[in-house]
Amino acid sequence: MPYTEHLMNPFGIDIDLADGAMHPPDTHLVRRASDMRGYYADEAALERLIAQQDDPLHYEVFEKHIPEEPGHLLLCISKLQPGCVGDECFMTKGHYHTVSGTAEVYLCLAGQGYMLMKTADGRCAAEPMTRGRMVYVPPHWAHRSINTSDEPLVSFCVYPAEAGHNYGDIATEGFPKRVYRRDRTVVMEP
Ligand code: S6P
Ligand code: ZN
């Protein structure tokens, strides 16, 4: 088929670098505290948060519609709220890519935290995230954002369009480290 039969038109989008909003996104994914059951060490603290704060916003992903086909790149804004469950810092669920040999670039636009990464064979790495810092997630590394600051952790992400998201394996395995804030000190354990 000649490429002209499925040619996509170029486009541009505006991104508010201060608050992380994409204008306009095509999809807006919202994760609330109740979506995070099973992810935090202190399950009772998560239930208290859900009950006392009416199931608060946890994180959002703003995306554009781009065909999920080889050759394209998917792009999104990931915005993770500040806070703790007990004393464990708010985090995203984390995932491997379904096509696990696909990488991802995160450019941090606001906030502070970590990109926590692990491989299926047990390697673990944590890269600091702060405004202006790029983190490269190589192929085969599961990845999760963790917010250690008092403001939203906002990142711009780009990855191959065929990557897909595999949440099941990491939900079963877990990450080998957790990040806590105790007396305003950030602690990574074990
Ligand atoms: C997609 C990219 C991010 C995350 C987002 C939410 O490959 O890594 O857009 O989807 O940070 O995290 P999670 O783990 O719930 O997808
Ligand atoms: Zn990803």
Side-chain angles (χ1 to χ4, degrees):
M1 190 193 302
Y3 75 87
T4 48
E5 288 186 15
H6 56 103
L7 192 62
M8 184 177 170
N9 287 327
F11 67 91
I13 44 170
D14 295 311
I15 293 171
D16 186 325
L17 299 184
D19 80 355
M22 186 185 275
H23 301 290
D26 290 330
T27 60
H28 178 203
L29 177 87
V30 173
R31 298 269 189 232
R32 298 195 168 275
S34 60
D35 296 312
M36 299 304 290
R37 288 187 170 112
Y39 286 90
Y40 288 99
D42 189 340
E43 293 176 15
L46 180 65
E47 294 305 324
R48 283 196 299 277
L49 180 77
I50 294 167
Q52 292 168 2
Q53 297 184 31
D54 195 19
D55 197 10
L57 176 66
H58 215 67
Y59 60 95
E60 299 159 275
V61 183
F62 302 89
E63 294 173 303
K64 295 301 289 181
H65 283 151
I66 293 172
E68 295 184 12
E69 298 164 2
H72 283 284
L73 295 171
L74 298 190
L75 55 92
C76 66
I77 295 279
S78 171
K79 183 173 184 179
L80 172 60
Q81 293 299 309
C84 288
V85 174
D87 54 6
E88 187 174 3
C89 297
F90 278 9
M91 60 192 185
T92 60
K93 291 183 173 186
H95 58 268
Y96 290 100
H97 290 162
T98 309
V99 180
S100 86
T102 51
E104 184 158 348
V105 167
Y106 275 73
L107 176 62
C108 182
L109 303 178
Q112 282 201 321
Y114 286 100
M115 179 60 62
L116 185 63
M117 294 166 277
K118 71 153 287 194
T119 60
D121 69 358
R123 280 170 249 212
C124 183
E127 275 295 324
M129 295 183 79
T130 190
R131 178 176 167 76
R133 187 168 164 85
M134 186 279 288
V135 174
Y136 185 69
V137 180
H140 307 295
W141 287 78
H143 41 288
R144 153 181 289 169
S145 310
I146 300 172
N147 189 348
T148 59
S149 70
D150 293 323
E151 59 175 311
L153 178 65
V154 181
S155 305
F156 177 68
C157 322
V158 182
Y159 56 104
E162 73 274 25
H165 294 83
N166 168 2
Y167 292 100
D169 286 350
I170 200 67
T172 306
E173 295 168 10
F175 282 82
K177 291 184 183 296
R178 293 182 180 276
V179 177
Y180 301 92
R181 264 178 79 168
R182 295 180 185 133
D183 300 326
R184 301 193 67 79
T185 301
V186 176
V187 181
M188 191 174 298
E189 292 180 346

